[in-house]
């Protein structure tokens, strides 16, 4: 999972510097295309497309757009990363990138740092959702060089603490085979993009599950 998710960000940073002229924009209606557009716009606005080091906050939000755009299907992350790169090539106007990102703020308020965390009420669903977020963001930060940020350690810690913490719940729920567990994770993955900012989600998860 980490290698595929990291490809999203890796593909998004290999674009040349952009020129600057203003132009109106609107987001695509297709949810995958819309999330990819937001990831591309954020990479341009942050300066990462021009070689500026990516910050923890930028990588976290790009990963969040990736979770939204893939709709919980890890196999879609590679194509999504390619689409982000293609959109960035066409986004040769920094003003358009900024306007696009502003539209993304309205379309995806759950990706803003000020957003409220909303986790599932069921303990097992909550824990497995936390595991998806931790795996996704851990992979993203490793892929773009922000894993050394102290905040990234929370994702790694959750990857270690969640499996034993959820073992009894998973067994009770009948998730005793790899296929059953993967099916459950895939179902939950469709909703993780709505939990809130990944790091705030991870902090809430760590408070409950260590």
């Amino acid at each position: 999972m980490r290698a595929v998710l990291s490809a999203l960000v890796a593909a998004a940073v290999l674009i040349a510097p952009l020129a600057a002229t203003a132009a109106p924009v609107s987001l695509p209606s297709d949810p995958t295309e819309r999330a990819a557009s937001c990831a591309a716009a954020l990479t341009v606005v942050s300066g990462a497309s021009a070689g500026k080091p990516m910050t923890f906050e930028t990588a976290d939000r790009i990963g969040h757009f990736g979770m939204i755009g893939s709709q919980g299907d890890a196999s879609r992350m590679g194509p999504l990363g390619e689409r982000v790169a293609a959109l960035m090539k066409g986004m040769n106007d920094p003003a358009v990138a900024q306007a696009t990102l502003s539209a993304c703020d309205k379309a995806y308020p759950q990706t803003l740092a000020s957003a409220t965390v909303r986790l599932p009420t069921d303990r097992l669903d909550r824990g497995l959702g936390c595991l998806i977020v931790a795996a996704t963001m851990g992979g993203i930060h490793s892929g773009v060089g922000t894993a050394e940020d102290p905040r990234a350690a929370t994702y790694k810690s959750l990857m270690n603490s969640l499996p034993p913490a959820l073992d009894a719940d998973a067994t009770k729920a009948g998730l005793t085979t790899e296929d059953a567990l993967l099916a459950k994770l895939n179902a939950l993955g469709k909703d993780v993009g709505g939990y809130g900012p990944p790091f705030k989600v991870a902090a809430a998860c760590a408070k409950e599950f260590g």
Side-chain angles (χ1 to χ4, degrees):
M1 179 183 289
R2 289 188 178 186
V4 176
L5 292 170
S6 296
L8 170 66
V9 177
V13 298
L14 299 176
I15 307 299
L18 307 175
T21 53
V25 297
S26 60
L27 296 178
S29 58
D30 177 76
T32 299
E33 187 77 357
R34 186 164 60 244
S37 296
C38 292
L42 176 55
T43 309
V44 173
V45 171
S46 71
S49 63
K52 183 178 179 180
M54 190 173 289
T55 65
F56 178 91
E57 292 81 3
T58 296
D60 229 47
R61 197 176 183 197
I62 287 177
H64 197 174
F65 286 131
M67 287 194 295
I68 294 170
S70 67
Q71 299 179 348
D73 185 349
S75 68
R76 299 177 64 179
M77 291 301 295
L80 181 62
E82 293 173 1
R83 186 57 186 148
V84 169
L87 287 167
M88 287 178 62
K89 289 178 181 177
M91 201 175 288
N92 57 1
D93 186 335
V96 170
Q98 181 60 67
T100 300
L101 187 57
S102 295
C104 295
D105 292 346
K106 296 178 181 178
Y108 299 115
Q110 71 269 35
T111 68
L112 297 173
S114 59
T116 300
V117 171
R118 303 181 186 280
L119 296 173
T121 56
D122 178 78
R123 184 179 188 275
L124 179 59
D125 287 357
R126 191 163 58 251
L128 291 176
C130 289
L131 186 62
I132 294 170
V133 172
T136 301
M137 293 303 127
I140 289 290
H141 289 292
S142 293
V144 300
T146 51
E148 296 304 314
D149 188 294
R151 291 168 290 183
T154 303
Y155 298 125
K156 183 177 180 180
S157 177
L158 284 170
M159 289 293 292
N160 293 326
S161 65
L162 281 166
L166 298 174
D167 186 61
D169 298 82
T171 300
K172 185 177 180 180
L175 304 180
T176 56
T177 66
E178 183 177 348
D179 286 346
L181 180 58
L182 287 175
K184 181 69 170 177
L185 289 170
N186 285 336
L188 290 170
K190 296 177 181 179
D191 298 321
V192 295
Y195 287 1
F199 181 69
K200 290 176 69 174
V201 170
C205 295
K207 186 175 181 179
E208 179 176 3
F209 297 103

